[in-house]
């Protein structure tokens, strides 16, 4: 027996030693290469070989600074953004001496190629002959996908230090290599700090070890818990905005976004999976194979396993590995199995080390740069032709211009125009009236011509519908019918005008823009200042800036009233939600406060009033004209909330509307002094973490219920609403629905009996019905935009458009709230009008019709407001901001606590 124990111990010891040897392997990452001694290596700068430790943001920056200082003639470093937590983001450019010394000229050549209207084909040919290829290698957009950044460091070292290497020599002779080593520094340092705190004597290979098991919210997300890889449409985060601005200076021919995936996988590179976005050009799809084949050559040489085409589709345009495609680049995602530490034991018993993961990303990085070097001329020609053909398509198609009319939500319209300019599109702002396509447009309208290089990007982002290949949808429906999951990777709808709830017109004419001003992100729109009021100032409702103004005024201690019904004063009708700021209630400098507010909100209209005589609708002293009081807002934080939702909620309130939020850990809600707060928001929750049923104790639930009854406002989002609607929780009188079964469907198998009566199965459809339970949730929706109808009589709809567009995802469908229990403030439209963009499964669409999106239910002095979907998801549903912020800022004044 003792011998067996000794042998077991000896075996385990050998296993540990073997693992240690693999973790701290010193064999070369690119065998046969000699490196220059005048180039700083890893050990001399950060104190360890590549892949032996997980580098922090500071260490990554330290190493690239060392390289830039050692070889300024061959590498240049450019900061491009600062994270919320103050960490600088940067990229480097690596090339030979001649190219680095002519960076400005090369950038100018690329900008000329990017606009074929100014650069005819003959000049383009000359430019192409003298312009190096460009490849942009981006790493760690998810901060816990760790091997990517260390691979970036060694890639830079290899390109600068390798001697007499024909691959490196070819790359440097023909290519500028851009390396963005860390796209999410806040998330990475969150991971690194947690990992270092959890480490023990030796690297633990158990996937259950705490060093592999990140605490909520993980390093994946940035400071505001955003998935930065989903921020390329709305450009809400400083990291993304800075990166897009930097990329637009260079329009790199190839763009790689390096990621990590599950530990039991291998390595993924292009070509991507179907479906492809229809606005991609055929040569872009063909070039994906060009890169994939060269990557495969090197992976085969070194014996690395890989796969292609099976996942990570190229349909959704909002990834880092898709957005560059729409200026004409080749955009790709590379995915490495993650060790989530220095080593992990896979399910099959094999060991995956951090060094191994770093090496795989390093090799694919060099292989990608080689592909650009070898195909430099072709890729430059394809880039020029992409932009030239975009202009041609835009000038001759049935749709030639988008027009954003001046409208009630002019702040939202301007935001859309500026956003498209930030994406690189030409947007023109009219200061006078004009006519186009039989419609008269007033000053303040914007024109976006399609005869421009950004035409495909514009159609991708502004079209109401981008269709998925019907054959792909048929295959997904077949899978669902068999009880298999669909393979759609992300949402199927992202039309920015729909998500922002902004009217945009399609016009078949080339609208003249000669007399218009080109709109940029920093364009100042000079407002018409209000007169000197004798009684009050009014800020008309219906504009997103009205809600911003309310937030800023409440924070400044200014007393504000607002009617939730329209009213008419001096012959002008003011929409519901208009703000009334009376002189008598406020400081003597109120006019200056209003002028400063108008300037800050970029020309928002403010009207001066000399009397209070209202000829229609509620008077200023009416009970329907509420005095609004600044609420104290708390936000449930930490597990089991969804990782992304609380951050998006906080970002929308704090950064888009300028109002402070107090995050409170869910585990402490039971002992929190909730009476210090007027609003408590429960964001979407994670079913994987058990939802609020697992995270909120009975004591916490009792405390929350008591607080509501004393006048608190509870706001629940998505699966938090599912929890609130549970009969055992009893906060909302709505219920989740099972999927509707066909009336002629037979009963499924009843497994509660030991033996069943015999039955005949005569056809395949009968067989399929027997496979599904009588009660099962609706089919999972990947994400579609649907129409919702607003009840104009409810105070929560003040300033809200009559119709909204809601992103529906998942399996949530709720029954309406009974009239004697509460109000269905917003409900989904009828089945014929419901779907606005994307794809809804035919089993879901008719059942979702007329179901609630926003409900309110009073509970003694307080209330619960339930959103059946998350209105703040990714902070890109701007069209839902007003009704959400009404729940936050207005609801407390309609409860018994602040009234």
């Amino acid at each position: 027996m003792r011998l067996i124990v000794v042998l077991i111990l000896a075996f385990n010891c050998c296993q540990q030693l073997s693992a240690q040897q693999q973790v701290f392997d010193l064999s070369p990452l690119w065998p046969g290469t000699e490196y220059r001694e005048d180039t700083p290596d890893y050990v001399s700068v950060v104190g360890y070989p590549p892949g032996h430790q997980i580098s922090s943001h500071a260490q990554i920056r330290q190493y690239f600074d060392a390289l830039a200082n050692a070889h300024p003639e061959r590498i240049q470093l450019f900061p491009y953004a600062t994270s919320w937590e103050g960490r600088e983001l940067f990229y480097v450019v690596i090339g030979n001496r001649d190219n680095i010394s002519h960076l400005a000229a090369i950038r100018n050549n690329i900008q000329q190629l990017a606009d074929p209207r100014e650069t005819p084909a003959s000049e383009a040919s000359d430019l192409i002959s003298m312009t190096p290829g460009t490849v942009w290698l981006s790493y760690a957009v998810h901060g816990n996908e760790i091997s990517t950044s260390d691979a970036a460091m060694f890639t830079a070292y290899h390109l600068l230090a390798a001697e007499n290497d024909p691959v490196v020599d070819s790359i440097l002779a023909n290519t500028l290599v851009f390396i963005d080593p860390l796209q999410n520094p806040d998330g990475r340092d969150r991971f690194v700090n947690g990992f270092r705190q959890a480490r023990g004597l030796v690297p633990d290979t158990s996937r259950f070890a705490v060093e592999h098991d990140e605490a909520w919210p993980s390093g994946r997300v940035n400071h505001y818990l955003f998935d930065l890889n989903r921020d390329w449409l709305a450009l809400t985060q400083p990291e993304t905005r800075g990166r897009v601005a930097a990329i637009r200076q260079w329009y790199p021919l190839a763009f790689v976004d390096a990621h990590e995936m599950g530990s039991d996988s291998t390595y993924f590179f292009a070509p991507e999976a179907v479906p492809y976005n229809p606005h991609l050009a055929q040569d872009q799809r063909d070039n994906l194979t060009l890169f994939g084949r060269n990557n495969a050559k090197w992976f085969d040489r070194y014996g690395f396993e890989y796969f292609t085409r099976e996942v990570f589709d190229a349909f959704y345009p909002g990834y880092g590995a898709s957005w560059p495609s729409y200026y004409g680049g080749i955009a790709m995602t590379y995915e490495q199995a993650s060790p989530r530490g220095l080593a992990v034991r896979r399910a099959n018993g094999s060991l995956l080390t951090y060094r191994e993961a770093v090496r795989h990303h390093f090799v694919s990085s060099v292989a990608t740069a080689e592909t650009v070097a070898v195909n430099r001329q072709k890729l430059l020609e394809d880039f020029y032709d992409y932009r030239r053909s975009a202009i041609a398509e835009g000038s001759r198609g049935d749709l030639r211009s988008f027009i954003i009319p001046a409208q009630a939500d002019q702040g939202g319209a301007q935001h859309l125009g500026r956003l498209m300019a930030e994406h690189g599109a030409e947007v023109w702002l009219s200061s006078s009236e004009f006519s186009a396509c039989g419609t008269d447009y007033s000053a303040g309208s914007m024109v976006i011509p399609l005869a421009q290089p950004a035409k495909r990007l514009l159609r991708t982002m502004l079209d109401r519908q981008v269709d998925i290949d019907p054959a792909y949808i048929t295959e997904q429906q077949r899978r669902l019918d068999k009880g298999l999951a669909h393979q759609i990777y992300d949402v199927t709808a992202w039309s920015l005008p729909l998500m922002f709830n902004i009217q945009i017109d399609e016009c078949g004419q080339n609208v003249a823009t000669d007399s218009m001003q080109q709109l940029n992100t920093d364009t100042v729109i000079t407002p018409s200042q209000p007169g000197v009021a004798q009684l009050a100032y009014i800020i008309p409702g219906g504009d997103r800036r009205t809600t911003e103004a309310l937030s800023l005024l409440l924070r400044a201690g200014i007393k504000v009233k607002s009617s939730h019904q329209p009213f008419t004063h001096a012959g002008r009708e003011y929409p519901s939600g208009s703000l009334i700021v009376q002189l008598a209630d406020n400081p003597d400098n109120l006019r200056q406060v209003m002028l400063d507010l108008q300037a800050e909100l970029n020309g928002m209209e403010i009207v001066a009033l000399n009397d209070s005589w209202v000829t229609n609708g509620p008077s200023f002293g009416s009970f329907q004209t509420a005095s609004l009081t600044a609420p104290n807002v708390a936000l449930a934080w930490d597990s089991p909330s969804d990782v992304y939702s609380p951050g998006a909620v906080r970002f929308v309130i704090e950064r888009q509307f300028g109002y402070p939020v107090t995050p409170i850990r869910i585990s402490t809600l039971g002992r929190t002094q909730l009476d210090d707060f007027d609003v408590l928001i429960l964001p979407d929750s994670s079913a994987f973490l058990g939802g609020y049923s697992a995270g909120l104790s009975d004591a916490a639930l009792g405390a929350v219920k008591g607080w509501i009854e004393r006048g608190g406002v509870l706001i629940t989002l998505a699966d938090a609403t599912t929890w609130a609607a549970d009969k055992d929780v009893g906060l909302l009188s709505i219920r989740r629905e099972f999927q509707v079964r066909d009336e002629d469907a037979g009963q499924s198998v009843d497994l509660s009996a030991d033996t069943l009566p015999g039955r005949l199965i005569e056809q395949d459809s009968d067989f399929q019905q027997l496979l599904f339970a009588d009660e099962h949730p609706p089919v999972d929706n990947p994400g579609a935009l649907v129409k919702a109808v607003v009840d104009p009589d409810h105070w929560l709809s003040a300033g809200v458009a009559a119709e909204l567009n809601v992103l529906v995802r998942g399996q949530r469908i709720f029954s309406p709230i009974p009239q004697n229990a509460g109000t269905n403030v917003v409900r989904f439209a009828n089945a014929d009008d419901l779907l606005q963009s994307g794809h809804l499964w035919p089993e879901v669409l008719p059942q979702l019709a007329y179901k609630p999106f926003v409900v309110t239910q009073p509970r003694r002095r307080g209330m619960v407001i339930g959103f059946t979907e998350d209105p703040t998801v990714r902070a890109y549903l701007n069209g839902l901001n007003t009704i959400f912020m009404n729940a936050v800022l207005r609801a407390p004044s309609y409860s018994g606590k602040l009234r």
Side-chain angles (χ1 to χ4, degrees):
M1 186 65 166
R2 291 183 61 188
L3 177 61
I4 294 174
V5 172
V6 169
L7 289 173
I8 291 173
L9 291 173
F11 177 76
N12 289 339
C13 181
C14 290
Q15 271 204 323
Q16 290 181 9
L17 288 174
S18 175
Q20 291 265 46
Q21 290 168 353
Q22 292 181 59
V23 170
F24 300 118
D25 184 11
L26 290 172
S27 61
L29 299 184
W30 193 277
T33 305
E34 297 292 330
Y35 291 106
R36 298 169 43 155
E37 294 184 358
D38 63 344
T39 302
D41 62 10
Y42 258 75
V43 176
S44 65
V45 179
V46 295
Y48 48 84
H52 284 207
Q53 299 293 338
I54 303 169
S55 302
S56 67
H57 168 263
Q59 290 169 316
I60 294 166
R61 180 57 185 265
Q62 180 186 9
Y63 188 66
F64 277 97
D65 281 340
L67 293 177
N69 290 332
H71 298 298
E73 77 286 358
R74 294 193 293 130
I75 176 173
Q76 292 287 302
L77 186 150
F78 298 92
Y80 69 80
T82 301
S83 74
W84 291 113
E85 296 176 16
R87 297 179 177 89
E88 190 172 70
L89 289 86
F90 65 93
Y91 67 89
V92 298
V93 189
I94 297 175
N96 62 24
R97 292 172 182 268
D98 183 58
N99 285 335
I100 293 298
S101 67
H102 293 93
L103 282 181
I106 293 170
R107 183 169 60 238
N108 184 61
N109 289 353
I110 293 169
Q111 291 294 329
Q112 290 184 64
L113 289 171
D115 193 350
R117 295 168 300 183
E118 305 295 330
T119 308
S122 58
E123 292 182 21
S125 180
D126 292 339
L127 288 171
I128 288 170
S129 69
M130 65 178 71
T131 302
T134 49
V135 56
W136 190 291
L137 305 172
S138 282
Y139 304 85
V141 71
H142 299 139
N144 60 359
E145 296 177 358
I146 45 179
S147 62
T148 59
S149 293
D150 278 286
M153 295 163 68
F154 194 76
T155 300
Y157 172 75
H158 183 76
L159 293 174
L160 291 169
E163 289 191 296
N164 302 318
D165 185 304
V167 174
V168 171
D169 292 345
S170 172
I171 290 170
L172 297 179
N174 295 283
T175 310
L176 285 175
V177 180
F178 296 77
I179 294 178
D180 181 355
L182 181 50
Q183 301 180 73
N184 181 3
D186 293 351
R188 184 177 182 91
D189 275 7
R190 187 184 305 121
F191 175 89
V192 170
N193 291 336
F195 174 76
R196 290 176 178 176
Q197 291 166 9
R199 281 196 64 183
L201 179 64
V202 296
D204 198 318
T205 63
S206 170
R207 66 180 64 209
F208 303 107
V210 66
E211 65 189 62
H212 296 292
D213 186 13
E214 294 178 81
W216 189 98
S218 84
R220 178 180 177 88
V221 290
N222 78 339
H223 174 78
Y224 272 101
L225 312 189
F226 272 66
D227 181 342
L228 293 177
N229 197 36
R230 305 302 196 276
D231 192 44
W232 291 74
L233 285 179
L235 305 183
T236 66
Q237 301 301 295
E239 300 95 332
T240 317
R241 297 184 68 189
R243 186 170 306 112
V244 165
I247 289 170
R248 284 183 51 217
Q249 293 181 7
W250 294 100
Y251 292 118
L253 301 174
F255 182 98
V256 170
D257 204 11
H259 290 261
E260 287 184 345
M261 55 185 166
S263 302
D264 292 320
S265 192
T266 57
Y267 197 97
F268 173 88
F269 48 71
E272 273 78 10
V274 295
Y276 283 83
N277 190 295
H279 293 294
L280 295 174
Q282 185 59 47
D283 58 15
Q284 290 177 302
R285 297 180 61 171
D286 295 341
N287 285 335
L288 291 173
T289 301
L290 199 68
F291 284 89
R293 283 188 174 276
N294 197 50
N295 288 346
K297 176 190 75 175
W298 286 103
F299 272 50
D300 287 347
R301 177 173 299 186
Y302 292 126
F304 302 160
E305 292 184 312
Y306 69 89
F307 66 101
T308 67
R309 297 174 288 100
E310 296 174 38
V311 291
F312 310 119
D313 66 59
F315 182 65
Y316 178 61
Y319 307 125
S322 56
W323 184 89
S325 301
Y326 301 97
Y327 67 67
I330 310 301
M332 297 166 285
T333 186
Y334 291 177
E335 297 266 357
Q336 161 66 41
S338 178
R340 283 295 192 274
L342 293 181
V344 67
R345 187 72 60 184
R346 288 175 160 136
N348 65 5
S350 64
L351 188 71
L352 173 63
T353 68
Y354 186 60
R355 184 184 179 281
E356 181 183 357
V358 168
R359 187 184 183 199
H360 293 168
H361 268 316
F362 156 63
V363 170
S364 68
S365 297
V366 174
T368 300
E370 181 190 34
T371 303
V372 174
V374 171
N375 297 278
R376 179 197 66 81
Q377 180 172 338
K378 172 182 171 21
L379 294 174
L380 282 165
E381 289 172 349
D382 289 349
F383 170 74
Y384 178 78
D385 288 344
Y386 179 95
R387 295 178 75 84
R388 180 173 60 179
S389 63
I391 297 166
E393 290 175 9
S395 64
R396 65 171 181 259
D398 293 336
L399 172 59
R400 301 187 184 184
S401 302
F402 286 110
I403 302 175
I404 305 175
Q407 51 199 279
D409 186 7
Q410 189 63 6
Q414 290 176 8
H415 177 73
L416 177 58
R418 291 174 189 275
L419 178 60
M420 298 316 300
E422 195 168 5
H423 276 293
E426 295 171 5
V427 181
W428 300 89
L429 175 66
S430 176
S431 58
S432 59
E433 297 178 352
F434 67 94
S435 297
C437 290
T439 301
D440 295 329
Y441 293 95
S442 59
S445 299
M446 288 162 277
V447 175
I448 307 177
L450 288 180
Q452 60 171 295
K455 176 260 179 183
R456 293 186 179 98
L457 177 142
L458 289 166
R459 292 298 303 269
T460 299
M461 294 188 179
L462 299 181
D463 277 9
R464 173 177 286 268
Q465 175 73 11
V466 177
D467 289 326
I468 309 178
D469 182 357
Y472 179 80
I473 290 296
T474 299
E475 168 61 14
Q476 301 313 304
Q477 189 67 58
R478 183 193 69 81
R479 291 179 58 86
L480 291 173
D481 291 344
K482 287 192 67 175
L484 301 173
H486 65 74
Q487 298 169 312
I488 300 175
Y489 196 69
D490 209 283
V491 298
T492 63
W494 54 81
S495 169
L496 290 174
L498 287 177
M499 294 198 299
F500 292 1
N501 217 36
I502 295 300
Q503 179 186 344
I504 188 167
D505 296 342
E506 297 181 353
C507 177
Q509 296 177 2
N510 296 315
V511 181
T513 58
D514 298 346
S515 61
M516 298 183 185
Q517 174 189 10
Q518 187 167 356
L519 185 69
N520 296 305
T521 55
D522 56 354
T523 300
V524 176
I525 299 175
T526 304
S528 175
Q529 293 187 352
V532 179
Q534 302 300 313
L535 180 89
Y537 292 97
I538 291 186
I539 302 175
D543 191 312
R544 64 172 280 168
R545 294 171 297 183
T546 305
T547 305
E548 292 180 67
L550 174 60
S551 171
L552 297 175
L553 289 170
L554 291 177
R555 281 191 69 191
I558 301 299
K559 294 181 179 179
V560 183
K561 289 184 174 182
S562 182
S563 170
H564 66 266
Q565 293 295 322
F567 63 89
T568 302
H569 180 279
R572 174 175 175 175
E573 181 173 302
Y574 290 89
S576 68
S578 297
L579 306 181
I580 304 162
V581 187
Q582 295 176 303
L583 272 67
D585 299 331
N586 288 295
D588 294 340
N589 67 338
L590 183 61
R591 173 173 166 75
Q592 188 59 50
V593 170
M594 303 306 285
L595 292 177
D596 292 345
L597 183 68
Q598 186 180 52
E600 182 169 349
L601 298 182
N602 203 29
M604 175 191 65
E605 183 184 15
I606 300 177
V607 182
L609 299 188
N610 295 327
D611 65 74
S612 63
W613 187 251
V614 171
T615 56
N616 191 33
S619 298
F620 293 176
S622 167
F623 70 92
Q624 295 190 74
T625 304
S627 295
L628 303 179
T629 306
N632 292 324
V633 180
L635 170 64
W637 198 259
D638 212 332
S639 177
S641 72
D642 175 78
V643 168
Y644 310 113
S645 181
V649 170
R650 189 180 184 186
F651 176 81
V652 168
I653 300 173
E654 288 190 344
R655 298 296 178 172
Q656 293 187 339
F657 289 93
Y659 203 85
V661 176
T662 301
I664 299 176
R665 296 195 189 280
I666 293 171
S667 60
T668 67
L669 277 177
R671 59 180 187 272
T672 298
Q673 187 65 37
L674 288 176
D675 286 336
D676 290 345
F677 300 96
D678 309 297
V679 176
L680 172 61
I681 304 170
L682 298 185
D684 194 6
S685 63
S686 168
F688 177 77
L689 297 174
Y692 287 103
S693 295
L696 275 178
S697 65
D698 291 342
L701 176 58
V704 169
K705 285 184 174 180
W707 168 79
I708 297 170
E709 291 175 355
R710 293 190 298 274
V713 176
L714 178 68
I715 301 171
T716 62
L717 309 183
D719 274 342
T721 300
T722 302
W723 168 81
D726 187 287
K727 63 181 178 60
D728 294 328
V729 175
L731 288 173
L732 283 173
S733 299
I734 59 176
R735 296 290 183 268
R736 282 277 296 268
E737 293 185 353
F738 291 119
Q739 182 170 315
V740 173
R741 284 178 63 86
D742 295 336
E743 291 183 2
D744 57 352
Q747 294 296 308
S748 61
V749 176
D750 179 10
L751 298 180
S752 63
D754 292 330
T755 307
L756 300 175
R759 71 173 76 187
L760 297 177
I761 303 176
E762 299 179 346
Q763 53 189 356
D764 183 71
S765 60
D766 294 337
F767 170 74
Q768 295 296 334
Q769 287 292 343
L770 292 174
L771 304 183
F772 292 92
D774 291 334
E775 297 180 343
H776 60 89
V779 178
D780 176 64
N781 280 300
L785 288 166
V786 302
K787 180 189 292 187
V789 179
V790 178
D791 178 357
D793 294 322
H794 196 276
W795 56 262
L796 194 56
S797 66
V800 177
E803 296 177 344
L804 302 173
N805 298 302
V806 180
L807 183 69
V808 294
R809 302 185 300 169
Q811 300 172 290
R812 289 179 297 271
I813 300 178
F814 289 86
S815 63
I817 196 167
Q819 194 173 51
N820 63 354
T823 305
N824 298 285
V825 181
V826 186
R827 61 155 177 88
F828 295 121
N830 65 71
D832 291 337
D833 296 333
L834 184 64
L835 182 60
Q836 297 298 294
S837 182
H839 183 78
L840 272 182
W841 306 115
E843 302 93 331
V844 172
L845 191 151
Q847 187 175 350
L848 189 61
Y850 292 105
K851 300 300 166 57
F853 168 53
V854 184
V855 299
T856 64
Q857 182 164 344
R859 292 185 62 87
R860 297 187 66 180
R861 298 183 66 194
M863 70 182 77
V864 180
I865 302 174
F867 290 78
T868 61
E869 296 289 338
D870 188 345
T872 67
V873 61
R874 298 177 181 173
Y876 65 6
L877 298 177
N878 290 10
L880 302 180
N881 282 350
T882 298
I883 192 160
F884 173 67
M885 290 303 297
N886 280 355
V888 175
L889 295 180
R890 293 175 181 263
S893 296
Y894 287 86
S895 77
K897 193 164 186 282
L898 292 182
R899 190 164 52 197

